[in-house]
Amino acid sequence: MGKVAEFPVGEDPVGSEEPSRAERIETLRRRISAVPAKGEVSAPAPAHSPVERLLPVPEPLVELLPRGGLVRGTVVSVSGSASLLLGMVAAVTAAGGHAAVIGQRRLGLLAAAEMGARLNRVAVIPDPGPDPVEIATVLLDGLDLVVLGLEGKSVPPSRARVVAARVRSKGAVLVVTDGHWDGAQVRLEAKVSGYEGLTGPGRTRLCGTKLSVRALGRAAAPRDACIDVCAGPDGVRWTSGERRRTDSGPNLEAASNLEVAR
């Protein structure tokens, strides 16, 4: 039989004694044991300061969320009004972050732009194919926010745990909607509770939407808020329902896009 070639592990300093065969085998064993198995995380979550670990949200959501923002490395479940998703995308991209929207064919990006979103920082995959979760898993690498539309599907708990581990590893935020995801750290439920429009002959355009939003977290009591999404002179604004400012002359062009966000 021919002699089996042995390759050195690493480089030894010049003049140092060559490692023995047993030492090489032990080094290889340690390296192999460090390789993650399928579904495991190979690296710890990126280090961020407390401020950097939060992705921004529309102002009325700050007091509603347990940490005052979207915590990097977490999964958030959103149901109800699409305005909530658009507001998150707008806040993150306006602050310089990058986002992806998967499987949301009817999401109104024009409404997001009116809320301040930077569309050049948004990747849109309206038809991700039979496995949108896999697409989201790939996009977590390098993006700050990934919005995943499940199209009514339920993700098995075992797979949800694997994806959640990747979310933690990459320091991103995964927002899931239109389906069931077991183990989300925060759940946001939003429903339209009313509208605001202009009165008078021939003036019936929508200029505001009232949302009732509830936040539920693992270690926090449920919180409720009334939020107004209103058209103003500079675009669509988010304000707390009890202290909404009354500006004269809403932006009718922005107001018409609220119907898409709804």
Side-chain angles (χ1 to χ4, degrees):
M1 294 178 63
K3 184 177 180 181
V4 179
E6 296 181 4
F7 296 93
V9 178
E11 296 184 0
D12 299 317
V14 178
S16 63
E17 184 178 351
E18 183 179 354
S20 66
R21 186 170 187 272
E23 290 173 336
R24 292 179 182 176
I25 292 174
E26 179 60 27
T27 301
L28 285 172
R29 284 176 177 169
R30 287 197 300 267
R31 291 189 176 185
I32 292 172
S33 64
V35 175
K38 184 177 180 181
E40 294 182 345
V41 182
S42 58
H48 296 279
S49 70
V51 174
E52 290 174 336
R53 284 195 60 80
L54 292 179
L55 293 183
V57 293
E59 183 181 352
L61 294 178
V62 172
E63 296 181 1
L64 195 62
L65 292 170
R67 300 283 186 88
L70 300 175
V71 181
R72 289 182 178 272
T74 62
V75 179
V76 179
S77 173
V78 174
S79 61
S81 173
S83 294
L84 211 55
L85 296 175
L86 294 173
M88 292 177 180
V89 172
V92 170
T93 58
H98 292 80
V101 180
I102 304 168
Q104 292 285 305
R105 297 181 180 87
R106 300 183 62 185
L107 200 65
L109 293 180
L110 180 56
E114 294 288 357
M115 293 180 188
R118 299 289 298 274
L119 297 185
N120 61 329
R121 295 175 178 159
V122 182
V124 181
I125 303 93
D127 187 7
D131 193 356
V133 177
E134 182 64 26
I135 302 299
T137 303
V138 174
L139 292 177
L140 288 169
D141 190 0
L143 295 179
D144 301 287
L145 176 70
V146 176
V147 177
L148 171 60
L150 296 175
E151 300 181 339
K153 299 177 182 177
S154 179
V155 178
S158 57
R159 190 177 191 191
R161 288 193 293 270
V162 171
V163 177
R166 183 171 176 83
V167 173
R168 289 193 299 272
S169 172
K170 298 302 179 181
V173 173
L174 177 63
V175 175
V176 293
T177 185
D178 299 336
H180 179 72
W181 184 285
D182 186 55
Q185 283 85 352
V186 175
R187 298 202 316 274
L188 292 173
E189 302 170 352
K191 64 179 181 179
V192 177
S193 58
Y195 300 96
E196 287 194 11
L198 300 178
T199 60
R203 305 184 69 184
T204 58
R205 286 196 178 187
L206 176 69
C207 65
T209 303
K210 295 179 177 292
L211 300 179
S212 295
V213 184
R214 164 165 283 203
L216 302 99
R218 288 182 177 178
R223 299 183 182 182
D224 298 278
C226 295
I227 298 174
D228 290 344
V229 185
C230 301
D234 301 321
V236 177
R237 299 175 308 171
W238 290 65
T239 56
S240 296
E242 63 274 11
R243 57 182 180 85
R244 184 178 64 85
R245 290 179 293 179
T246 56
D247 293 318
S248 59
N251 186 329
L252 292 181
E253 182 180 356
S256 63
N257 293 326
L258 286 173
E259 295 184 6
V260 181
R262 177 167 58 86

